[in-house]
Amino acid sequence: MTSDPHIEITRQGAVQSIRFDRAEKKNAITRTMYAAMTVALKAAEDDDAIRAHLYLGQPGVFSSGNDVQDFMAFAMSGEMGTEVLDFLHTLARLKKPVVSAVDGLAIGIGTTIHMHCDLTFATPRSLFKTPFVDLALVPEAGSSLLAPAFMGYQRAFAMLAMGEDFSAQDAVEAGLVYKVVDEGELEERAMQAAQALAEKPPVALSIAKRLMKSSPDKLIERIDEEAAYFAAQLKSDEAKAAFMQFMARKKS
Ligand code: COA
């Protein structure tokens, strides 16, 4: 149980899974969903019995990203709340290994979340996309720092600024996804990987992760810098127009 019905937390052995459970809205993530995930991640980090995190979506959709209605509410009220930033800081500071499993759409933070994961599995029909600039927004979740570092500047630009579609195979080539696996075995493979990581000596594993990822402080600094631009852009007329266009599309 969590404080949000759309975030499902389960524990299997030493693995804690967080599953997006809002298929009717393509797993769009609301403020309360971010808050529920932060609580669950922190609880697992503090619990010696949990040794790995696993992120799961629904068949055909991992997540369509931040809830656009919430974007509109932020834009109109000018009040961002702390839920998203708390979640991103928590994600950036995770010491335990994180595995994710993607089947289908992974948009916005549905893509950038995997830049904080250690192993991501995706099905052939998965699609990664970050339409930040098309929405008059800017890259978030530290992606402006992480993506150029591991996929190279031009590929990162194509993803984060151009908003190009990345297939599962493109994502493997870009270093965002570890392996492409069939739909029928996705969650089993991801769980096996999480369980294998959970069985490793935890201190050595967390040091290995820390060494490879470098200090989270620089990342958090970038997350905050992005967030300041993001908040300013959210209030812009061009962003409001983009959100209205998405919402109006549903009425036609
Ligand atoms: N925020 C809020 N609601 C969303 C959403 C989002 N990010 N993504 C999808 N939904 C809702 C739709 O409004 C629709 O709700 P309704 O049935 O009450 O009208 C429902 O989820 C199904 O979405 P729909 O657009 O009908 O499905 P689709 O298969 O045609 O398209 C997407 C799926 C994800 C491509 C499309 O919904 C989309 O572009 N969503 C916005 C993605 C986005 O810009 N995210 C922010 C990134 S920074």
Side-chain angles (χ1 to χ4, degrees):
M1 274 297 286
T2 72
S3 52
D4 191 288
H6 300 116
I7 293 293
E8 182 190 288
I9 308 294
T10 50
R11 291 183 170 200
Q12 190 171 327
V15 177
Q16 175 175 280
S17 302
I18 296 183
R19 185 188 292 281
F20 297 114
D21 189 11
R22 199 184 178 211
E24 71 285 3
K25 294 285 183 186
K26 305 283 176 187
N27 289 342
I29 309 173
T30 60
R31 289 169 75 157
T32 52
M33 289 166 73
Y34 285 111
M37 290 193 287
T38 302
V39 169
L41 288 171
K42 284 184 172 165
E45 286 284 293
D46 290 344
D47 184 345
D48 289 343
I50 298 295
R51 292 191 172 181
H53 305 275
L54 176 61
Y55 261 105
L56 303 167
Q58 297 291 332
V61 62
F62 180 76
S63 172
S64 62
N66 202 103
D67 189 290
V68 176
Q69 305 263 17
D70 272 9
F71 274 162
M72 194 58 169
F74 292 145
M76 300 315 284
S77 69
E79 198 267 307
M80 277 288 287
T82 58
E83 294 88 348
V84 180
L85 217 46
D86 287 348
F87 171 71
L88 295 178
H89 287 184
T90 303
L91 197 59
R93 289 203 188 278
L94 292 179
K95 294 192 171 80
K96 295 179 181 177
V98 190
V99 178
S100 56
V102 179
D103 178 34
L105 290 172
I107 302 183
I109 195 162
T111 283
T112 55
I113 197 172
H114 308 293
M115 296 177 190
H116 297 267
C117 293
D118 303 298
L119 289 174
T120 296
F121 294 84
T123 61
R125 66 178 176 177
S126 296
L127 179 82
F128 298 84
K129 186 179 176 74
T130 59
F132 299 125
V133 173
D134 292 330
L135 292 170
L137 300 174
V138 299
E140 40 68 302
S143 59
S144 64
L145 184 70
L146 297 171
F150 70 79
M151 60 173 84
Y153 176 77
Q154 295 215 357
R155 217 167 354 193
F157 188 86
M159 173 175 270
L160 297 174
M162 275 283 279
E164 292 271 277
D165 290 354
F166 276 54
S167 67
Q169 194 51 43
D170 294 335
V172 169
E173 285 160 20
L176 181 66
V177 163
Y178 171 50
K179 272 191 171 51
V180 179
V181 298
D182 287 337
E183 284 148 48
E185 53 174 338
L186 174 71
E187 293 202 359
E188 193 186 337
R189 290 286 298 279
M191 178 58 85
Q192 278 169 0
Q195 281 173 339
L197 289 166
E199 281 166 21
K200 305 229 176 261
V203 176
L205 184 58
S206 103
I207 294 170
K209 173 170 170 155
R210 170 71 188 260
L211 287 169
M212 283 189 274
K213 289 212 166 228
S214 77
S215 157
D217 295 339
K218 203 170 142 205
L219 179 56
I220 284 172
E221 202 177 297
R222 178 59 66 94
I223 288 171
D224 291 347
E225 189 184 350
E226 292 169 344
Y229 285 115
F230 203 97
Q233 279 302 115
L234 265 177
K235 288 180 241 161
S236 68
D237 289 342
E238 55 185 8
K240 284 180 198 156
F243 307 149
M244 296 285 275
Q245 194 180 5
F246 173 71
M247 292 189 290
R249 180 182 77 102
K250 300 314 300 169
K251 293 189 192 104
S252 58

